[in-house]
Amino acid sequence: MAQHDPATESADGSNTVLYNNDHACVTRRTLPGHAGRVVVKQAIGAEAIRRLRHEAVMLERLAKIDGVVKLASVPPEPDTLVFQDEGAMALADYLRTRQLDTQQMLAYGAALARILAQVHKAGVIHKDIGPANLLIHPDTLAPTLIDFNIAALASADATAATAPDGNIAGTWAYMSPEHTGRTGRAPDARSDLYSLGVTLYQGLTGRKPFESEDLLELVHAHLVQMPEAPAELVPALPRLLSDVVMRLLAKEPEKRYQSAEGLVQDLQRLQHGLAAGHVEPFELGGFDFGNELKPPKALLGRSEEIKQLAQALAATADGRKPWLWISGPSGVGKSALIDELRSLAAGRRALCAGGRFTAEFTHTPAAALGGFSGIARQLM
């Protein structure tokens, strides 16, 4: 989402700039011959235009889902999208000046989880959930999910892990461990649930789980640090609600909620308990069943090899220069083992990149040196 810019309004009040940066300009407009106002998003630059077109495709796929922003029936100008304006505002802006109480935040989170359940059922992963990409209606407090410009189809994204040395799109403070590209795993629907957990944490406590301007420090925190539980920061919060948020923030996807539907069930039970004045203890995730059967990604039978990798990394941090030789036939799991080094390295705030030279790449003799460019991109 474009960075927030203080709203500026035209002299006749027909055009208000909501967001503006080098990549996009978002304005609220009153158009001649159109009843009501609309929000117009204009892309600036080739990459932004490509994402805008991608967003249009995603929104067409999600057009029937209540709670997802709707395209207006207005002919768009070149390189723009026109949205229906329901009078909502960004959750980030709302939280700057107002606060939702526990019951309101719980209701907002449950409604958002219902929307997300439908988005995931349609086969789409949002990949950038956070207060800047969520709207809240100031009167009804209803949520709307916006900004699908980096969303992906679950089927297309399931087999491709994010490159650790590539340009990772998204908002770092709300990014799941696997979305950082340092775990060798591809983000799936459970990555969205992690980002939702960060958002709920912020709404309930007034702060994000990890706050830093240093991107490498944020990556390190998402990978290996557990934040204080919300109930420790706000003792008045129900312990079960705090536990729900911490379950969403689990580092390993297998330990989070496996579906937005399962999350909705637990949030509804909490809502009913708060409304009755007493929350009865219950086991979290009792109705949580993933949409797909996903095998665990943990490496089995490689504990000794992972230990050797960790020891070599520690030796490197001490100034020594260890070398490890990993060999074996194709398909035995060498790459999966090396991927374990990525999270170990991030845990020490180290940089990790790799290159590959195989029989298929004989036309690129220096392919194995690609890791150096990866290191350079991370440094940049």
Side-chain angles (χ1 to χ4, degrees), residues 19-295:
Y19 297 90
N20 190 20
N21 70 4
D22 293 338
H23 307 291
C25 181
V26 181
T27 57
R28 175 174 278 133
R29 300 183 190 177
T30 301
L31 299 179
H34 180 75
R37 294 181 301 180
V38 296
V39 173
V40 180
K41 180 178 183 179
Q42 179 182 14
I44 304 171
E47 177 60 18
I49 292 171
R50 183 196 67 77
R51 288 188 180 182
L52 192 81
R53 292 170 179 167
H54 174 75
E55 182 172 10
V57 173
M58 293 291 105
L59 290 176
E60 290 290 346
R61 186 183 183 98
L62 304 172
K64 295 182 179 180
I65 298 177
D66 291 336
V68 172
V69 66
K70 299 292 186 292
L71 293 172
S73 55
V74 176
E77 301 169 3
D79 304 329
T80 66
L81 289 178
V82 183
F83 304 100
Q84 297 177 14
D85 183 12
E86 305 295 340
M89 63 188 298
L91 180 63
D93 293 337
Y94 186 94
L95 293 177
R96 284 191 185 97
T97 58
R98 281 159 281 192
Q99 188 174 3
L100 296 171
D101 62 32
T102 300
Q103 287 184 314
Q104 290 172 329
M105 194 66 218
L106 181 54
Y108 185 89
L112 179 57
R114 291 188 197 97
I115 297 168
L116 201 54
Q118 293 301 308
V119 170
H120 291 165
K121 188 176 181 180
V124 174
I125 306 169
H126 187 277
K127 296 181 70 175
D128 199 12
I129 289 175
N133 294 332
L134 294 168
L135 302 183
I136 182 171
H137 196 284
D139 297 328
T140 65
L141 303 184
T144 301
L145 185 55
I146 66 172
D147 216 344
F148 286 79
N149 62 10
I150 65 169
L153 296 179
S155 56
D157 212 54
T159 57
T162 307
D165 52 356
N167 294 320
I168 299 175
T171 309
W172 287 93
Y174 302 88
M175 197 174 286
S176 70
E178 57 272 23
H179 194 171
T180 67
R182 268 69 175 181
T183 67
R185 302 179 61 162
D188 58 24
R190 297 170 295 183
S191 179
D192 280 349
L193 295 179
Y194 181 96
S195 301
L196 175 55
V198 177
T199 303
L200 291 177
Y201 189 107
Q202 182 178 358
L204 292 168
T205 68
R207 51 164 287 185
K208 295 185 283 291
F210 310 114
E211 296 186 326
S212 174
E213 297 300 319
D214 185 332
L215 293 186
L216 193 57
E217 187 173 321
L218 275 177
V219 170
H220 171 264
H222 284 306
L223 286 171
V224 302
Q225 292 182 4
M226 285 304 297
E228 291 183 84
E232 294 174 5
L233 298 174
V234 185
L237 286 178
R239 172 58 65 174
L240 268 177
L241 177 55
S242 179
D243 291 344
V244 165
V245 174
M246 294 303 286
R247 186 184 182 101
L248 288 167
L249 295 178
K251 303 302 181 187
E252 298 176 24
E254 292 81 12
K255 295 182 179 179
R256 296 176 206 149
Y257 282 92
Q258 300 302 292
S259 68
E261 291 94 337
L263 173 62
V264 168
Q265 294 293 327
D266 284 356
L267 292 179
Q268 285 180 332
R269 292 184 71 175
L270 283 167
Q271 279 184 286
H272 295 154
L274 284 177
H278 178 66
V279 178
E280 291 287 345
F282 62 88
E283 182 180 355
L284 299 184
F287 298 92
D288 183 29
F289 307 100
N291 297 325
E292 301 176 8
L293 182 62
K294 295 181 180 292

Side-chain angles (χ1 to χ4, degrees), residues 328-352:
S330 177
V332 76
K334 300 186 297 297
S335 296
L337 177 59
I338 293 171
D339 278 339
E340 291 293 312
L341 186 60
R342 302 191 189 283
S343 56
L344 293 172
R348 288 181 168 269
R349 302 190 63 186
L351 302 178
C352 181

